Amino acid sequence: MSAKQSSKIRVFLRTRPTSNFAQDMIEFIPDSNNINIHAKKNEKRGVVNNQLLDWTFKMDGILHNASQEQVFETVGADVVNRALDGYNATIMCYGQTGAGKTFTMTGATENYQQRGLIPRVISAVYQQIEKRVEQSVSIRISYLEIYNENMFDLLSTLPEAFVGTQQMTIIEDEYGVSIKGLALHMSNNEEEALNILFEGETNRAIATHSLNKVSSRSHCIFTIHIESRSRTDSNAKYIRSKLNLVDLAGSERLSKTGSEGKTQQEAMYINKSLTFLEQTIVALADRRREHIPYRQTKLTHALKDSLGGNCETIMIANIWGEAGQIEETISTLRFATRMMCISINPGVNEYYDPALLVKKLEKEIKHLKHELGMHDTLANRSQVSYEALSDTQLMEIENQVRRYMEGSLEDIDVVNVRQVQAVFDTFKNIVVQMENDVENRLRTKYTLIDHSDPGAVATAQKAGVIFDEDGGAQYVGEVDGQGFGLGSAPTSAKPVHSAVVSAKKAKSRKGKERNSPQPKGGNAASPVPSSQPTEQSSPMRVGAQAVDSNARMEAGSTTGSLGKDSQRADTPPLRTVAFEEFKKERGSEINRILMENKEILASKKTQRRDLTKTINLTKQEIDEKRLSIEQKRQDRQEQGEYSEENGEMVISEEEFQMIKNLKELKASYRTDYQEMRQVNSEIQYCQKLVDQCRQRLISEFDNWYSECFLQSGEDTTSAQDGVGARPGTLYDNVPEDEGEKFERLQSELLLENPDSAAFYKARIRTDRRQTLESALEQAQPDPPKRDASTPTITIRNKPPSLMTVQT
């Protein structure tokens, strides 16, 4: 474990926005990050009292009336990078009840812009993982709640969570402090992590009192466990780190909150644990103390790594800047000052995988044994080296091997086992390279068909391989003895479709039974004879994608004829199966057009998404430039403005350049916006084309299916059976319900901020699951007894979003 120089815990101050801010009692000095408190004398303590009225506190930063984005950029952005580099990190919020700790840490889960530190940290973690392509990073998440000195897993209600009776205990091992019995949930992307967060938030203990309507009644620790391994290095070393995001319950004064009963008992536990936390902080700040009382409460024991250990800790002190809360404000600032006195020694947590390390050492021992054996045998040869071969030696061995294969060298110099292995590896690489070159040359000239692979034969059959009278494949060219045929088809040959071959057999049987020739103008089932090539007949290679148009039309008509004559009496196939076959045969052309239109539509949507991101970034730059220009103007006015004789204002070169850049950004914004409007029009047009093609494909399939497989009076549409419709498509005469309307409106709003998709999807998924669970927990009425007069209810197969009920 590599450690860096010792440092101190950093503390930032954040104020709760209020219209009654005590301007005369609280003074901020941003340049020096100082806070001056001027308290008023308490007359209730009598005439003679030694009350201290003036206080001065120094913080690492002041976040007064700061937005959630500013808080994250100041506190959390650098912590994320450090955690992914292998450092343990902790961000905790401390303060009185109602000061905004939970809002700072979690934010408003219903509003993307007002999300707190935890959602923003999750988003930043996965963004950084995507940038670190040389590392394989795995993320596991846990969510611990300490309520009335009892520990609970807030994620125990997840469907994949293990429900057990194991009591959670705090243990210490080589990785530090951990909670035995606390589940770690794997998270593969941002949406899954946010879903875990929202699930835990719904299980937290909250209550209402006079100072806070949604007061947290427990301490919560949201932990992101990170494990990173190198994709390029094959060593056994890896790094492990954890990022703790701690939302402490607020201290309360019962005289102000008016809590009673259960709420009062919860407040007593909260104040007790915070008191022990302060005692632990005081002990850590005193270098003469030998014993640190971590085990007094579960909170301090669980945070042992975060308080003065191998962890980079940051605390946010939340205060309520009103005159009535001045005593709690001073208490919070005093606690923050003590936190700044604690020394920390963060370092990269490097570990070695025992299994990989053992394998590596065993392999090394084996090589050493071989070398020593050869050394003993050849005792008179002193040039034996036990070191690994250098790049120069490997290049020399490869040169000797190539010369040996060319015949210009008779012997290869080998003096140890490593050189023997290098020679064999070089031979292997050369052989593999030669095989790849030969295969690539063959594939550029021919298409290979494996005779033993039914799937490959079927694909080649559809692509135009010639068949004999029995339906077997006639491989073009000479067979090499392993089931492969190479070469070109003769000029007079013509590809025959499998459906045509089957139709030909059926026609021959019908001809024998009826003993009469097939009319010339009927649905001919036989292909054009190969001895009489038409204008559309052309030489074909094996694996060609095009098929003769006459053969395709004959195959289509034959399929329809077979459907009428032989398949009508049998059970008709499922619409889904028939629809897939129809798209490959009769509807292949319109299906191809539909796929092309879909690709165009998808590319246009991607273009619109990129333009939206570009426009949003340009808008942010414009706002930043405006603020910078406005600040320059204010500074110029304070310092005194200068004007020329003609009355024009004189500005600095820097301000002129900023104004010029602002005009360029506005021009770029207008250009991109006009382009996005044009792309939106193209998307609407392409969407109409896709819908028309889809409707035509389904309509033609319905006609073909009814004609081939259904009797008169059995006609049903594909829409009734849910075939061919894309997910989310509304059926005719079915109104749009509230849920579908909400999803449609939300998808439109996501275009304004594409990065918010994972946030809203996780929120919706959690709400839906909890709604379902609450509905299942309700008492269900007994089903009524059914008699002959009770109507039958039939539910057709529809997509999950729409069900048709007929009585």
Side-chain angles (χ1 to χ4, degrees):
M1 180 181 297
S2 59
K4 71 173 186 177
Q5 187 177 1
S6 176
S7 59
K8 303 288 185 180
I9 292 179
R10 292 186 294 163
V11 178
F12 294 85
L13 176 69
R14 189 183 190 188
T15 60
R16 168 178 170 170
T18 176
S19 58
N20 299 323
F21 190 80
Q23 300 284 351
D24 56 336
M25 304 178 68
I26 302 176
E27 179 185 4
F28 297 116
I29 305 178
D31 295 337
S32 58
N33 292 328
N34 287 345
I35 304 100
N36 296 330
I37 305 294
H38 308 287
K40 296 181 180 180
K41 192 171 184 179
N42 190 357
E43 302 295 342
K44 296 182 179 180
R45 296 186 178 182
V47 178
V48 179
N49 62 66
N50 297 323
Q51 182 182 0
L52 187 59
L53 302 180
D54 296 326
W55 300 79
T56 299
F57 303 95
K58 183 176 179 60
M59 301 287 126
D60 291 298
I62 298 176
L63 302 171
H64 180 53
N65 292 333
S67 64
Q68 297 282 64
E69 180 69 22
Q70 293 174 344
V71 173
F72 171 74
E73 292 296 334
T74 305
V75 178
D78 183 63
V79 172
V80 172
N81 295 327
R82 301 282 291 174
L84 289 172
D85 290 338
Y87 294 89
N88 291 335
T90 298
I91 301 177
M92 65 171 62
C93 289
Y94 178 89
Q96 72 171 104
T97 180
K101 299 180 300 300
T102 302
F103 181 78
T104 300
M105 192 59 65
T106 307
T109 56
E110 297 80 10
N111 191 329
Y112 179 74
Q113 299 296 335
Q114 298 298 330
R115 67 194 190 282
L117 276 176
I118 299 180
R120 294 177 187 271
V121 165
I122 290 174
S123 178
V125 165
Y126 285 98
Q127 290 177 5
Q128 289 296 324
I129 290 176
E130 292 180 357
K131 296 179 181 179
R132 301 175 183 236
V133 295
E134 296 182 354
Q135 294 180 347
S136 174
V137 183
S138 60
I139 301 294
R140 292 177 174 84
I141 295 176
S142 64
Y143 208 170
L144 174 68
E145 179 186 45
I146 302 177
Y147 174 76
N148 291 354
E149 281 302 302
N150 293 317
M151 294 185 295
F152 300 94
D153 187 358
L154 290 177
L155 305 179
S156 59
T157 57
L158 286 174
E160 64 273 13
F162 173 76
V163 180
T165 58
Q166 183 180 6
Q167 185 72 21
M168 284 193 290
T169 56
I170 302 175
I171 60 176
E172 299 183 27
D173 52 17
E174 57 178 333
Y175 300 115
V177 177
S178 60
I179 311 298
K180 184 179 180 180
L182 181 63
L184 301 180
H185 296 266
M186 177 68 72
S187 176
N188 299 316
N189 51 54
E190 179 183 353
E191 183 178 346
E192 292 182 3
L194 290 173
N195 186 33
I196 292 174
L197 169 64
F198 295 150
E199 179 67 25
E201 286 298 313
T202 57
N203 296 328
R204 290 189 60 175
I206 59 175
T208 302
H209 53 71
S210 60
L211 296 182
N212 194 353
K213 294 182 179 180
V214 285
S215 175
S216 300
R217 315 309 294 167
S218 60
H219 310 294
C220 293
I221 304 175
F222 185 88
T223 306
I224 302 176
H225 301 263
I226 305 173
E227 183 174 319
S228 178
R229 299 175 183 267
S230 176
R231 298 181 187 270
T232 57
D233 299 335
S234 59
N235 53 17
K237 184 177 69 175
Y238 66 98
I239 59 176
R240 290 184 60 174
S241 60
K242 57 182 180 180
L243 176 55
N244 296 319
L245 301 165
V246 186
D247 181 16
L248 298 176
S251 59
E252 300 180 16
R253 291 196 176 188
L254 298 180
S255 59
K256 290 186 177 182
T257 60
S259 302
E260 297 179 354
K262 182 180 179 181
T263 308
Q264 180 181 3
Q265 182 184 7
E266 294 170 345
M268 294 172 62
Y269 274 105
I270 292 172
N271 292 336
K272 178 182 176 181
S273 61
L274 293 178
T275 300
F276 286 132
L277 174 62
E278 187 171 4
Q279 292 179 4
T280 305
I281 299 302
V282 171
L284 287 169
D286 188 0
R287 297 182 179 180
R288 297 172 296 178
R289 292 282 296 269
E290 297 181 356
H291 172 69
I292 309 299
Y294 287 116
R295 298 177 180 268
Q296 285 184 335
T297 62
K298 291 185 172 60
L299 175 64
T300 54
H301 197 186
L303 296 178
K304 181 179 179 180
D305 288 344
S306 304
L307 303 174
N310 175 33
C311 182
E312 186 167 348
T313 304
I314 297 177
M315 193 189 88
I316 301 177
N318 296 87
I319 64 172
W320 194 345
E322 294 185 356
Q325 313 295 334
I326 194 65
E327 294 183 1
E328 288 77 3
T329 299
I330 294 175
S331 176
T332 300
L333 293 175
R334 293 181 63 184
F335 180 85
T337 305
R338 297 189 184 100
M339 283 286 292
M340 296 177 65
C341 298
I342 300 177
S343 299
I344 54 177
N345 297 282
V348 178
N349 301 296
E350 296 180 349
Y351 301 94
Y352 290 88
D353 192 335
L356 295 178
L357 192 59
V358 167
K359 290 182 179 179
K360 183 179 179 180
L361 295 176
E362 287 178 349
K363 187 176 181 181
E364 187 68 21
I365 292 173
K366 186 177 180 181
H367 280 295
L368 292 175
K369 287 182 178 179
H370 282 300
E371 290 189 358
L372 290 175
M374 181 175 288
H375 177 72
D376 295 337
T377 304
L378 306 173
N380 296 328
R381 302 176 65 180
S382 59
Q383 63 269 27
V384 176
S385 175
Y386 296 101
E387 299 296 332
L389 298 178
S390 63
D391 295 338
T392 304
Q393 292 173 330
L394 292 175
M395 292 178 61
E396 179 64 25
I397 290 175
E398 183 178 359
N399 186 21
Q400 292 184 13
V401 170
R402 292 188 179 277
R403 289 169 56 194
Y404 177 80
M405 296 180 66
E406 294 173 356
S408 60
L409 183 66
E410 295 183 358
D411 297 323
I412 300 176
D413 296 334
V414 176
V415 295
N416 57 26
V417 176
R418 293 184 185 273
Q419 291 184 355
V420 173
Q421 184 180 5
V423 169
F424 279 102
D425 290 341
T426 305
F427 273 113
K428 179 180 179 182
N429 294 335
I430 294 175
V431 171
V432 171
Q433 183 179 0
M434 293 174 61
E435 290 179 351
N436 293 335
D437 293 340
V438 172
E439 184 178 354
N440 291 334
R441 286 198 296 268
L442 288 176
R443 290 190 181 276
T444 55
K445 189 174 181 180
Y446 307 105
T447 300
L448 306 181
I449 303 175
D450 188 359
H451 182 64
S452 61
D453 187 1
V457 174
T459 303
Q461 175 184 343
K462 294 181 180 179
V465 177
I466 301 175
F467 291 88
D468 56 14
E469 294 295 332
D470 296 332
Q474 295 179 351
Y475 292 95
V476 181
E478 298 181 357
V479 182
D480 63 353
Q482 296 181 356
F484 291 94
L486 306 175
S488 301
T491 307
S492 60
K494 178 180 178 182
V496 181
H497 200 277
S498 60
V500 179
V501 176
S502 302
K504 185 175 180 180
K505 294 181 180 180
K507 279 294 181 181
S508 62
R509 289 196 300 267
K510 289 185 179 180
K512 293 179 182 179
E513 295 175 0
R514 298 179 182 178
N515 200 11
S516 61
Q518 176 73 18
K520 191 173 183 179
N523 293 332
S526 60
V528 179
S530 60
S531 60
Q532 299 178 0
T534 62
E535 295 179 358
Q536 297 179 351
S537 302
S538 61
M540 300 186 61
R541 288 188 178 269
V542 180
Q545 297 298 324
V547 183
D548 195 304
S549 59
N550 290 336
R552 183 185 298 175
M553 294 174 60
E554 292 168 358
S557 61
T558 304
T559 304
S561 176
L562 288 175
K564 293 179 183 178
D565 297 338
S566 61
Q567 296 182 4
R568 187 184 300 276
D570 299 332
T571 302
L574 295 176
R575 278 185 177 268
T576 54
V577 178
F579 186 65
E580 295 299 326
E581 292 297 329
F582 177 79
K583 288 192 297 183
K584 297 177 182 178
E585 303 295 340
R586 286 278 296 273
S588 60
E589 183 64 21
I590 188 172
N591 185 61
R592 180 186 62 80
I593 298 175
L594 176 61
M595 293 295 103
E596 293 178 355
N597 290 338
K598 282 185 175 181
E599 292 178 359
I600 296 174
L601 179 62
S603 64
K604 292 295 181 182
K605 289 184 177 180
T606 302
Q607 182 181 359
R608 179 177 64 180
R609 183 171 63 251
D610 296 340
L611 284 172
T612 303
K613 291 183 178 180
T614 304
I615 290 173
N616 290 336
L617 292 176
T618 305
K619 182 64 169 59
Q620 293 178 3
E621 293 180 2
I622 290 175
D623 295 339
E624 293 174 358
K625 288 292 182 184
R626 283 177 176 173
L627 293 176
S628 301
I629 293 173
E630 185 64 27
Q631 184 65 34
K632 285 288 184 182
R633 290 176 180 174
Q634 292 179 2
D635 295 342
R636 190 177 68 246
Q637 292 175 359
E638 293 177 357
Q639 297 174 2
E641 297 180 344
Y642 297 93
S643 58
E644 296 180 351
E645 295 179 357
N646 55 4
E648 295 183 355
M649 190 66 59
V650 178
I651 61 176
S652 63
E653 181 67 24
E654 182 181 1
E655 185 176 355
F656 174 77
Q657 190 66 31
M658 293 171 64
I659 296 174
K660 182 179 178 181
N661 293 339
L662 179 61
K663 291 182 179 180
E664 294 176 354
L665 289 174
K666 288 183 177 180
S668 176
Y669 179 85
R670 286 191 292 267
T671 302
D672 293 340
Y673 185 76
Q674 292 296 332
E675 185 178 356
M676 189 181 70
R677 293 184 61 182
Q678 180 66 25
V679 171
N680 284 332
S681 302
E682 295 176 358
I683 288 176
Q684 294 178 1
Y685 178 73
C686 292
Q687 186 66 53
K688 291 181 181 179
L689 291 181
V690 170
D691 294 339
Q692 291 175 1
C693 291
R694 183 184 291 107
Q695 189 64 30
R696 181 180 174 186
L697 179 65
I698 296 174
S699 176
E700 292 186 3
F701 168 72
D702 288 339
N703 296 334
W704 173 80
Y705 190 83
S706 300
E707 180 182 357
C708 296
F709 303 108
L710 299 180
Q711 301 290 342
S712 59
E714 294 181 350
D715 293 345
T716 58
T717 63
S718 297
Q720 293 176 342
D721 287 348
V723 178
R726 61 179 180 176
T729 303
L730 296 176
Y731 297 93
D732 296 336
N733 302 325
V734 179
E736 186 179 15
D737 60 16
E738 293 298 328
E740 293 169 343
K741 183 178 180 181
F742 174 76
E743 292 180 358
R744 177 175 56 81
L745 294 176
Q746 191 169 33
S747 62
E748 295 174 358
L749 292 176
L750 287 179
L751 296 177
E752 300 178 1
N753 195 340
D755 295 334
S756 62
F759 181 86
Y760 284 118
K761 287 181 180 178
R763 179 74 265 176
I764 293 173
R765 181 182 301 176
T766 304
D767 292 341
R768 285 179 175 174
R769 197 181 64 79
Q770 290 181 349
T771 302
L772 177 61
E773 290 180 354
S774 61
L776 294 176
E777 291 176 357
Q778 296 179 0
Q780 301 293 333
D782 296 334
K785 294 183 179 180
R786 197 178 150 193
D787 53 15
S789 62
T790 303
T792 303
I793 298 178
T794 304
I795 301 179
R796 297 183 179 272
N797 293 327
K798 283 288 187 83
S801 57
L802 292 175
M803 300 293 288
T804 301
V805 181
Q806 296 182 352
T807 59

